[in-house]
Each structure stands twice: as C-alpha cells, then as structure tokens.
Amino acid sequence: MSKLELAKLYISLFRIDLSLQLFGFEKLFQRYMQLYSLDKVNSQKTRGNNYIEDINKMLESIDYICTVYPRSAQCMHRSFLGYQYLRKKFHLPVELVVGVRKMPFSAHAWLVLNGQNINEDSQYTDQFQIILSTEEGAL
C-alpha cells in the first residue's frame, strides 16, 4: 500500500474518531449505512483473481493505521474504517456487526462478508450476542 493510501486511511480514521466524539455512535452508524450502501450493479462488479489478497492487505493496513494512531482506535474504529473502504473500493457487501457479552460484560465490533468474519477470529466473536448489524440497519 502506498504512502498516499496510508495517509488517506489515517485521515479517514481521524474523521471517524472525531465523528464518534462529536455526534456519537448512532449518528455515525446511520450515516455510514447511507453513504456506503451498495446498489446491485456495484455489488456485482467483476473482481480480479487476487481481490482476496487485496482485501487482506487493506485490513492489515487498517490494523497498522489504528496501531500508530495517537488516540485509542479500537474495534469500532477498525470496523467503521473497514466497512467504508471495503464497500467503497471493492464494492463488497460487507456488514459491520456489534455484539455484547453479559459475563463479564463486554462489547465488540467486527466485519462480516458472506456470513464469515473477515477481520476477527470467529472463535472470539462467537462469545458475543449480535445486537446490531448494518444488514438489519435498525438502532
């Protein structure tokens, strides 16, 4: 990934972080669902043979950007960033999902594509009850 693309990811992460602080999760979630909705034409675009490799590189770059970001950029930030770029760049019907666990209480966000986790191990996310998904769209 080029330095310019990494810079774009960093700026997007900054915007996500700022939006979460200023407007809260609900408004950002609704905004992203509207901004990055896929029409049937875009979601059916032909992809090259190595698009899976490109997706993995994108997810690795997102993890890197979140690591070097000076503020705390956790699962929510990574998931919003991944949702934005995988839908915008690759036109994939990726879902942003949020789950909770009662004991000990915890919440987590991750991305799902065609029923499979793409940025998180399913052994970890299986312990969470999904309470929200961009697929369902309700808050």
Side-chain angles (χ1 to χ4, degrees), residues 2 16 18 24 38 44 52 62 67-68 71 74 81 87-88 90 102-103 113 115 120 122 125 128-129 135 139:
S2 73
I16 289 167
L18 187 61
L38 297 175
Q44 300 301 319
I52 293 173
I62 288 170
T67 302
V68 299
R71 294 178 42 84
Q74 299 297 322
L81 199 54
R87 282 185 163 243
K88 187 170 142 181
F90 297 102
K102 284 186 180 181
M103 295 298 281
L113 178 63
E120 201 66 66
S122 62
T125 59
F128 293 91
Q129 175 68 41
E135 181 71 18
L139 268 179

Side-chain angles (χ1 to χ4, degrees), residues 36-47 87 90-93 135:
Y36 303 108
S37 67
L38 297 175
D39 58 27
K40 292 183 181 193
V41 175
N42 282 337
S43 65
Q44 300 301 319
K45 279 188 176 181
T46 305
R47 297 174 186 98
R87 282 185 163 243
F90 297 102
H91 307 284
L92 294 171
E135 181 71 18

Side-chain angles (χ1 to χ4, degrees):
M1 183 162 272
S2 73
K3 289 182 181 181
L4 178 61
E5 290 172 316
L6 287 173
K8 287 180 182 179
L9 280 175
Y10 190 88
I11 291 167
S12 293
L13 175 58
F14 175 77
R15 286 181 171 168
I16 289 167
D17 191 30
L18 187 61
S19 294
L20 283 168
Q21 290 176 49
L22 294 176
F23 308 114
F25 172 80
E26 183 177 355
K27 286 196 187 285
L28 185 62
F29 185 82
Q30 294 297 333
R31 182 170 176 251
Y32 266 54
M33 283 181 41
Q34 291 172 350
L35 279 175
Y36 303 108
S37 67
L38 297 175
D39 58 27
K40 292 183 181 193
V41 175
N42 282 337
S43 65
Q44 300 301 319
K45 279 188 176 181
T46 305
R47 297 174 186 98
N49 291 335
N50 59 348
Y51 82 96
I52 293 173
E53 184 179 316
D54 292 339
I55 291 168
N56 287 331
K57 285 180 184 176
M58 174 64 69
L59 293 173
E60 287 173 10
S61 297
I62 288 170
D63 285 344
Y64 171 75
I65 290 298
C66 289
T67 302
V68 299
Y69 189 65
R71 294 178 42 84
S72 178
Q74 299 297 322
C75 60
M76 188 62 60
H77 298 80
R78 284 184 325 166
S79 296
F80 272 117
L81 199 54
Y83 181 79
Q84 173 186 346
Y85 275 88
L86 293 176
R87 282 185 163 243
K88 187 170 142 181
K89 184 173 182 175
F90 297 102
H91 307 284
L92 294 171
V94 66
E95 297 173 55
L96 189 154
V97 233
V98 177
V100 294
R101 176 179 65 198
K102 284 186 180 181
M103 295 298 281
F105 179 79
S106 182
H108 192 57
W110 65 96
L111 298 173
V112 174
L113 178 63
N114 299 326
Q116 300 293 318
N117 293 358
I118 60 171
N119 71 335
E120 201 66 66
D121 189 339
S122 62
Q123 287 184 335
Y124 178 65
T125 59
D126 285 349
Q127 58 187 294
F128 293 91
Q129 175 68 41
I130 295 174
I131 60 166
L132 185 63
S133 167
T134 53
E135 181 71 18
E136 296 162 9
L139 268 179

